[in-house]
Amino acid sequence: QPYSGEDIKRILTATGRVSVELENARLYAQELSVRMELQRQDEQKTEFLHHVAHELKTPLTAIISSSELMTAEDIVNIPIEQRERLLNNINRSAWLMDRKVGELLDLARIQIGRLELNLVPLDVADIIDDLTSQLSSLFKNKEQSLEAIIPISLPKAKADRERTTEVILNLLSNANKFSPAGGHIAIIASEKDNMILFEVKDSAPTISETDRERIFNAYYRGGSNEEQQRVSGLGLGLAISKSLVELQQGEIGVVCEEGRGNTFYFTLPIWIDAEKSMETNPVKER
């Protein structure tokens, strides 16, 4: 039986009310989701501030206690070995604080778009040799082996030396912290698809799929509560590294194999000098 005009009017009225209620429900769900996300971010920032205070207080306490010991009595009367140990403690703690503050400043510059890069032809072997030499004692303390594999014929990368060093330092530091004592860490550089590929292979427990999805987010610290208590950090290193790599036209990621550790990798463009660039892309005369 065909609908009458009155039936159609009632149906349109009912569907109009239903659509309004559905839209209200959608807006409410959206508002609830936004509210929960803001609450999560607020809790995350509060936790982050707690970590910042803790991370800065620990080395500061070491600096204060070491300096107090040195000023409590005549420094001449302190044995040379103890004096060197106290000075090394102050130096190491100050360096650690400087690095943490540097991470915070880098994050702020990245977020407001004021991080400047100085792209130059970068000798990959040079910076990796410098870093492995600087970090050798760090790995020896955990009886870990650190291996660098770099082909002699590897071309130079188009990158910012300071920022690239920072990325590699973050990855090697994480490999050291999360790999067990006696573990093996390797850093490998190779050429792939007109890019320089950097790989840092560790022997740490396999990163879970949940952590893999968020591990490059700022403030996020993966692992169990026990691991988070055991391993220091602000949860900024990988997030900053991701931004620094992408600003240099590269990519960063992680590959995990059960029982075989994790491989963090990133890429940087190969440097092409002016002559090579002219040969590859000749200028056409108009």
Side-chain angles (χ1 to χ4, degrees):
Q1 179 179 347
Y3 290 130
S4 66
E6 188 65 25
D7 290 335
I8 293 175
K9 186 177 179 181
R10 289 175 179 174
I11 291 172
L12 290 175
T13 301
T15 54
R17 289 178 179 175
V18 170
S19 65
V20 169
E21 294 301 325
L22 286 173
E23 178 64 11
N24 288 341
R26 187 189 68 81
L27 291 173
Y28 175 75
Q30 186 179 41
E31 180 188 355
L32 185 62
S33 175
V34 170
R35 192 184 308 163
M36 291 177 65
E37 176 62 20
L38 290 173
Q39 183 178 354
R40 186 189 68 80
Q41 290 181 7
D42 187 54
E43 292 173 354
Q44 199 173 44
K45 287 180 180 179
T46 301
E47 184 180 359
F48 171 70
L49 289 174
H50 171 75
H51 284 307
V52 169
H54 176 73
E55 290 289 321
L56 294 180
K57 185 175 177 61
T58 301
L60 185 60
T61 301
I63 291 173
I64 292 173
S65 60
S66 296
S67 60
E68 284 179 346
L69 284 172
M70 295 184 69
T71 55
E73 55 182 294
D74 191 348
I75 193 170
V76 179
N77 297 326
I78 301 176
I80 295 178
E81 295 80 5
Q82 183 181 354
R83 198 186 312 166
E84 290 180 349
R85 189 166 57 250
L86 292 172
L87 286 172
N88 287 335
N89 192 25
I90 292 173
N91 182 62
R92 185 173 58 252
S93 299
W95 180 85
L96 183 61
M97 285 187 65
D98 182 69
R99 187 181 171 199
K100 299 300 180 186
V101 172
E103 285 184 346
L104 295 171
L105 290 174
D106 279 346
L107 181 65
R109 292 190 189 104
I110 290 168
Q111 289 180 339
I112 63 177
R114 290 189 179 178
L115 186 69
E116 296 181 358
L117 297 176
N118 180 28
L119 301 179
V120 297
L122 186 65
D123 188 330
V124 172
D126 184 35
I127 63 169
I128 291 180
D129 286 344
D130 285 348
L131 276 174
T132 52
S133 176
Q134 292 174 23
L135 299 174
S136 59
S137 60
L138 195 66
F139 289 90
K140 283 181 181 177
N141 289 339
K142 292 186 70 173
E143 298 180 345
Q144 296 170 336
S145 59
L146 175 60
E147 180 183 18
I149 304 173
I150 311 160
I152 298 176
S153 60
L154 190 69
K156 293 184 178 181
K158 180 182 179 181
D160 182 294
R161 182 183 182 89
E162 181 183 352
R163 302 306 177 184
T164 302
T165 301
E166 186 176 348
V167 174
I168 298 174
L169 178 62
N170 280 331
L171 298 184
L172 287 176
S173 297
N174 283 348
N176 166 258
K177 286 192 291 186
F178 290 99
S179 295
H184 178 72
I185 291 94
I187 176 166
I188 305 167
S190 60
E191 182 180 355
K192 184 178 181 181
D193 299 330
N194 295 321
M195 303 286 282
I196 303 295
L197 172 65
F198 298 81
E199 297 174 280
V200 175
K201 298 178 179 288
D202 62 34
S203 50
T206 306
I207 300 172
S208 68
E209 187 174 347
T210 302
D211 284 342
R212 259 177 275 168
E213 293 174 355
R214 302 176 60 190
I215 200 168
F216 291 99
N217 294 347
Y219 315 119
Y220 183 74
R221 300 179 72 224
S224 62
N225 290 332
E226 181 183 350
E227 288 176 321
Q228 291 182 8
Q229 292 293 327
R230 180 175 56 86
V231 180
S232 62
L234 299 176
L236 293 180
L238 289 177
I240 291 173
S241 296
K242 183 175 187 294
S243 296
L244 293 178
V245 169
E246 291 177 348
L247 283 171
Q248 297 179 86
Q249 310 305 313
E251 296 181 355
I252 191 169
V254 61
V255 176
C256 308
E257 297 181 64
E258 191 64 39
R260 300 186 63 181
N262 314 285
T263 300
F264 284 86
Y265 67 88
F266 70 96
T267 60
L268 292 174
I270 289 176
W271 176 269
I272 301 177
D273 57 36
E275 293 181 3
K276 189 174 179 181
S277 178
M278 290 290 289
E279 292 173 2
T280 307
N281 303 301
V283 177
K284 295 181 180 180
E285 295 183 359
R286 293 184 178 179

